[in-house]
Amino acid sequence: MTQLEEFLTGRIWLRQFIPFSNEQVNQAILNGSITVRLGIVDGKQCTRCLEKSPEKIIPFYCDACQKICYYCRHCIKMGRISSCTELITWSLPTPLPLQSHSFNWTGNLTPLQQRASQEVQKSISQKKDHLIYAVCGAGKTELLFSPIFEALNKGLRVCLAAPRTDVVLELTPRLRAAFPNTVIHSLYGNAPEENGFAQLVIATTHQLYRFENAFDVMIVDEADAFPYSYDLALKRAVDKAKKKDAPTVYVSATPSKLLLKQVSQVSQIFKRFHGHPLPIPTFQSLWGYEKVFAKDQIPKKLVDWVDQKIEKHEPFLLFFPTIELIEQAIVLFKHKYPAIEAVHSQDEKRKEKVMKLRRGDIPGVLTSTILERGITVPNVQVAVIGADQSIFDAAALIQISGRVGRSSEYPDGEIIFFHNGITRQMDKAKKMIISYNGGL
Amino acid sequence: MNCYLCDRVMTLQVTWRSIFFNEQGDVVCLRCQTEFERIKIGCPICSAVGDEKCLDCCKWENTEYAGLINSGRSLYRYNPAMKEYLHRYKFLQDVILSEVFVKVLQETLRNEKSVIVPIPMNEEKLKKRTFAQVDRLLDAAGIPYIHLLGKNEVGLGGKSKAERTALQDVFWWNGKPVPEKVLLFDDLYTTGSTLRLAAKVLKEKGAKEIKVVTLIRA
Ligand SMILES: [Zn+2]
Ligand SMILES: [Zn+2]
């Protein structure tokens, strides 16, 4: 494979940003190995991310073309696509890569993980979609190792996609350690450039916009909200990035009803790898908490809860429904406990603050729902403030509860929902967790 | 509708103005709006921090550019939110973000008696960027303007200050009649040389009084 071919196979790329000379690209276009397509096509749809809502496809007077062009706001951070930009794809089929792979992992799977692992492997070989329905802390990544290894050995190109960068960053070193001879690309916003042809790609779902017809096996981690709401765009990205008949493996702790209905092959793991049951949430009223915060006070019950955790030296997370409330509350908390930190989605120091919490440098963190997945802090205690608010649906509450008791040294911990009235979603979350534990 | 900047859903605010005057609603949520820092007081030419003429503007008065700019103001500080905004608007070419400052520009320029002249872009650069970011800010706010200047290919970036100030021929007059009172408008005030080079050409062609307004003071 030439470098250009390695780079472009399975990809759809902005021509102006390709890291090869114009001459090379032109020649490949002439000999038919590169296809050129326009960025926004007649139906006002983005060719890269397939967005077509009028809120995202914006008309403007283009001074390059001296006429009205359209551009896509949905995927603009990856370089703007407009009616007059050119996207290029590699038009020749992917040759079978001649890589040899090795598998370097010495851990053990529990019998439940083992069974799920075999089931996934079978689905992939039969080109069937599969759902791994596993509680937080079930050890889902490890059970994927062996099916991925088999697929790689067959010469299949595999993608492991996750909605958030944090998860990609967490998975990458684990997969690189497990498959030391495999070229693995790790793709997320502002990731360092990678070279060569990767048979295994770990990417944020957003990065999948840059692939087309590329993968023989697609694994989607945290496919919780699939295929709903904003994930519609991500669903499109997944479908576009994989080859037409390629199987998709969904991994979720809280799959939607529709996903459960659509995917017939399901492996369930309702036990954590350490064998202990999931901590069950308790409900605690916190009447009028918003008004109390507005009066520059922290509700008494919350102060008591935090005091208790600090006294026992237990790290804690406080989940809030809105950024506005976090901003209001952090001032008050800082006043009382100067070391406490707050994080939100655009916080560049997010990872650093979580590390501090893990090391015990700070007692606790106030957070929005962004921290609900993918973080493990041993012995963490969790409180949800305003668990009755609509942003905390059952799936989110189950995820948040799943932060607690993940490590085998501290399989227990407290998860408390402070509320202004118990909602159906809170009830549902609690019932689901109890049912995972095998009781009803 | 979602906020143009943070993409969060905004609750529609229906006010009597929006009903009777069909006034355009905000395109940016309250939280994002408060991230921008309005300039209340500053240098009477460039709005640099302080309450009198700043050192830089005083230095200009000892050069051949002395007295070219009669007065001026800048509307916002170049804080992190504004840097992010300008990055998205200019470099990511998110043209719709020209609507973010509509209200402020209207307040500032609606009753302006001088003729508003935007700092132009070089033709080649314009083709590359695909839109004239300064013009689009005024267009979005419905502020009338005319072009009196063209810009040569020499970019200002990368040149030392001495070289910059020596660049006499950056702007050229396009031949249209120059009114006595002109307001030069630009997106970003950095060293002030761009505006002074433009002002020099216009004063030579008959402008008597030149004001400058920039959206941002770097
Ligand atoms: Zn797009
Ligand atoms: Zn906003």
Side-chain angles (χ1 to χ4, degrees):
Chain A
M1 281 169 104
T2 65
Q3 282 187 333
L4 180 59
E5 181 179 6
E6 282 181 347
F7 181 87
L8 205 55
T9 295
R11 280 199 162 130
I12 176 160
W13 209 261
L14 255 175
R15 182 176 178 179
Q16 69 204 89
F17 292 142
I18 189 126
F20 294 90
S21 73
N22 209 3
E23 210 177 17
Q24 251 177 305
V25 174
N26 275 335
Q27 208 198 331
I29 292 169
L30 279 178
N31 72 26
S33 42
I34 282 183
T35 308
V36 183
R37 283 145 71 191
L38 286 179
I40 309 277
V41 282
D42 317 323
K44 313 283 184 293
Q45 185 176 35
C46 174
T47 306
R48 180 169 64 188
C49 75
L50 306 182
E51 179 65 51
K52 57 179 172 189
S53 82
E55 285 92 66
K56 296 287 180 187
I57 305 292
I58 311 291
F60 72 109
Y61 181 80
C62 175
D63 278 292
C65 307
Q66 312 249 308
K67 64 171 179 60
I68 300 289
C69 283
Y70 289 79
Y71 75 95
C72 174
R73 288 198 85 207
H74 185 76
C75 63
I76 194 166
K77 288 202 169 142
M78 308 171 110
R80 194 187 73 174
I81 300 288
S82 66
S83 318
C84 50
T85 48
E86 291 178 329
L87 288 161
I88 53 178
T89 52
W90 194 255
S91 18
L92 306 178
T94 319
L96 205 61
L98 296 168
Q99 271 177 34
S100 71
H101 305 275
S102 60
F103 182 32
N104 181 18
W105 186 66
T106 50
N108 286 313
L109 296 179
T110 65
L112 275 176
Q113 282 176 304
Q114 183 68 46
R115 198 181 71 200
S117 185
Q118 283 160 357
E119 286 165 354
V120 170
Q121 201 153 318
K122 194 172 155 207
S123 287
I124 290 175
S125 61
Q126 294 175 346
K127 295 197 171 183
K128 282 183 184 159
D129 289 350
H130 195 102
L131 168 65
I132 302 171
Y133 183 1
V135 296
C136 314
K140 53 196 166 56
T141 309
E142 291 79 7
L143 73 84
L144 289 169
F145 283 167
S146 154
I148 290 174
F149 184 54
E150 198 194 59
L152 292 173
N153 277 332
K154 282 187 190 160
L156 302 179
R157 197 175 192 191
V158 181
C159 178
L160 177 50
R164 291 169 315 110
T165 302
D166 302 27
V167 181
V168 172
L169 289 173
E170 195 221 304
L171 291 174
T172 301
R174 291 163 75 187
L175 283 154
R176 287 207 164 120
F179 306 111
N181 294 338
T182 306
V183 178
I184 300 176
H185 285 182
S186 181
L187 308 175
Y188 47 92
N190 295 321
E193 215 172 287
E194 307 259 20
N195 291 315
F197 176 84
Q199 211 187 321
L200 177 56
V201 171
I202 310 162
T204 56
T205 20
H206 210 74
Q207 292 292 323
L208 294 183
Y209 294 146
R210 289 175 156 164
F211 288 90
E212 190 175 278
N213 202 17
F215 299 105
D216 305 289
V217 178
M218 175 65 76
I219 303 167
V220 186
D221 199 1
E222 295 190 343
D224 304 333
F226 258 69
Y228 286 122
S229 62
Y230 80 97
D231 284 296
L232 268 179
L234 300 181
K235 170 95 171 70
R236 283 197 313 252
V238 166
D239 288 342
K240 175 175 141 270
K242 70 186 192 68
K243 288 180 185 163
K244 222 177 181 174
D245 59 345
T248 305
V249 178
Y250 300 94
V251 183
S252 174
T254 51
S256 67
K257 268 189 195 147
L258 191 59
L259 190 61
L260 279 165
K261 219 164 93 184
Q262 278 175 358
V263 183
S264 55
Q265 310 298 314
V266 181
S267 303
Q268 291 183 342
I269 310 181
F270 290 165
K271 243 194 167 57
R272 291 187 147 174
F273 76 94
H274 55 50
H276 294 267
L278 298 155
I280 295 163
T282 51
F283 297 167
Q284 174 76 255
S285 63
L286 199 66
W287 309 118
Y289 60 90
E290 282 169 307
K291 282 186 194 136
V292 181
F293 278 119
K295 275 188 255 165
D296 288 338
Q297 283 165 12
I298 308 173
K300 172 93 176 38
K301 284 180 189 166
L302 189 53
V303 173
D304 291 346
W305 191 86
V306 168
D307 279 342
Q308 194 193 72
K309 302 306 160 200
I310 290 179
E311 196 173 306
K312 287 201 225 160
H313 297 286
E314 289 169 343
F316 59 88
L317 293 170
L318 302 179
F319 284 89
F320 284 82
T322 62
I323 303 178
E324 284 82 359
L325 197 58
I326 293 178
E327 284 171 347
Q328 220 169 38
I330 186 62
V331 182
L332 308 172
F333 274 100
K334 280 253 184 210
H335 192 69
K336 205 162 165 26
Y337 319 95
I340 283 186
E341 295 279 7
V343 301
H344 56 85
S345 60
Q346 276 118 44
D347 192 346
E348 283 165 19
K349 291 191 183 138
R350 203 164 99 203
K351 253 176 277 163
E352 208 180 304
K353 287 173 183 170
V354 174
M355 281 309 294
K356 275 189 186 168
L357 182 67
R358 214 174 284 182
R359 285 197 304 261
D361 297 349
I362 57 174
V365 167
L366 276 60
T367 177
S368 60
T369 53
I370 46 139
L371 275 192
E372 68 192 35
R373 303 153 213 222
I375 72 151
T376 304
V377 178
N379 201 26
V380 75
Q381 314 290 310
V382 172
V384 180
I385 290 90
D388 52 296
Q389 302 243 0
S390 60
I391 188 164
F392 297 120
D393 59 9
L397 290 170
I398 291 169
Q399 285 287 357
I400 290 170
S401 307
R403 297 302 100 210
V404 181
R406 285 171 76 103
S407 73
S408 41
E409 301 97 273
Y410 300 98
D412 276 327
E414 190 178 358
I415 165 73
I416 183 164
F417 295 170
F418 286 110
H419 63 83
N420 226 343
I422 296 167
T423 62
R424 229 184 252 181
Q425 297 294 318
M426 290 165 62
D427 263 335
K428 190 177 164 196
K430 186 169 176 173
K431 278 197 187 123
M432 294 285 279
I433 292 169
I434 293 172
S435 77
Y436 295 154
N437 285 342
L440 254 179
Chain B
M1 187 189 134
N2 289 22
C3 169
Y4 279 3
L5 295 176
C6 69
D7 206 28
R8 294 199 302 168
V9 180
M10 294 194 288
T11 39
L12 205 64
Q13 290 156 0
V14 183
T15 63
W16 64 271
R17 292 190 68 89
S18 69
I19 296 165
F20 290 104
F21 294 105
N22 202 10
E23 196 173 75
Q24 207 188 348
D26 287 326
V27 296
V28 169
C29 72
L30 218 67
R31 197 167 168 275
C32 287
Q33 279 176 40
T34 52
E35 296 278 314
F36 296 119
E37 187 188 346
R38 278 297 292 273
I39 296 178
K40 293 203 182 70
I41 192 164
C43 167
I45 303 272
C46 73
S47 294
V49 182
D51 51 9
E52 50 191 39
K53 205 182 219 181
C54 75
L55 208 62
D56 271 349
C57 284
C58 287
K59 276 185 191 161
W60 280 108
E61 294 309 310
N62 298 323
T63 68
E64 56 181 307
Y65 298 93
L68 284 174
I69 296 173
N70 299 83
S71 66
R73 66 187 283 215
S74 195
L75 306 177
Y76 288 96
R77 298 267 170 235
Y78 202 31
N79 67 358
M82 191 52 94
K83 279 182 192 165
E84 168 74 11
Y85 165 80
L86 206 62
H87 173 79
R88 286 170 66 176
Y89 180 46
K90 263 165 98 163
F91 297 100
L92 293 180
Q93 305 169 324
D94 200 353
V95 189
I96 206 170
L97 297 187
S98 63
E99 294 172 25
V100 170
F101 297 106
V102 161
K103 274 192 188 159
V104 178
L105 290 174
Q106 283 173 348
E107 280 164 27
T108 313
L109 300 172
R110 193 158 34 195
N111 298 319
E112 184 54 53
K113 299 278 185 303
S114 310
V115 173
I116 296 169
V117 176
I119 293 295
M121 261 171 109
N122 162 253
E123 277 299 317
E124 220 164 279
K125 200 166 176 191
L126 178 58
K127 284 235 143 56
K128 263 196 185 147
R129 183 161 292 157
T130 73
F131 70 106
Q133 82 267 358
V134 180
D135 296 6
R136 287 298 95 82
L137 288 171
L138 296 172
D139 287 338
I143 308 288
Y145 58 87
I146 57 165
H147 273 292
L148 293 177
L149 299 166
K151 194 176 179 189
N152 284 321
E153 278 162 52
V154 264
L156 289 175
K159 298 269 182 352
S160 73
K161 201 167 175 181
E163 280 174 286
R164 282 192 190 196
T165 40
L167 287 168
Q168 299 285 348
D169 303 324
V170 174
F171 294 105
W172 40 268
W173 176 49
N174 69 8
K176 287 187 192 159
V178 176
E180 290 199 352
K181 287 185 171 190
V182 170
L183 183 148
L184 277 171
F185 178 74
D186 204 359
D187 53 355
L188 182 67
Y189 187 112
T190 312
T191 63
S193 51
T194 303
L195 286 159
R196 283 178 175 86
L197 289 167
K200 194 160 196 287
V201 176
L202 293 179
K203 282 223 160 153
E204 280 165 10
K205 300 295 173 194
K208 296 275 184 289
E209 186 191 318
I210 293 184
K211 277 196 254 184
V212 299
V213 170
T214 50
L215 182 67
I216 311 156
R217 176 65 168 101

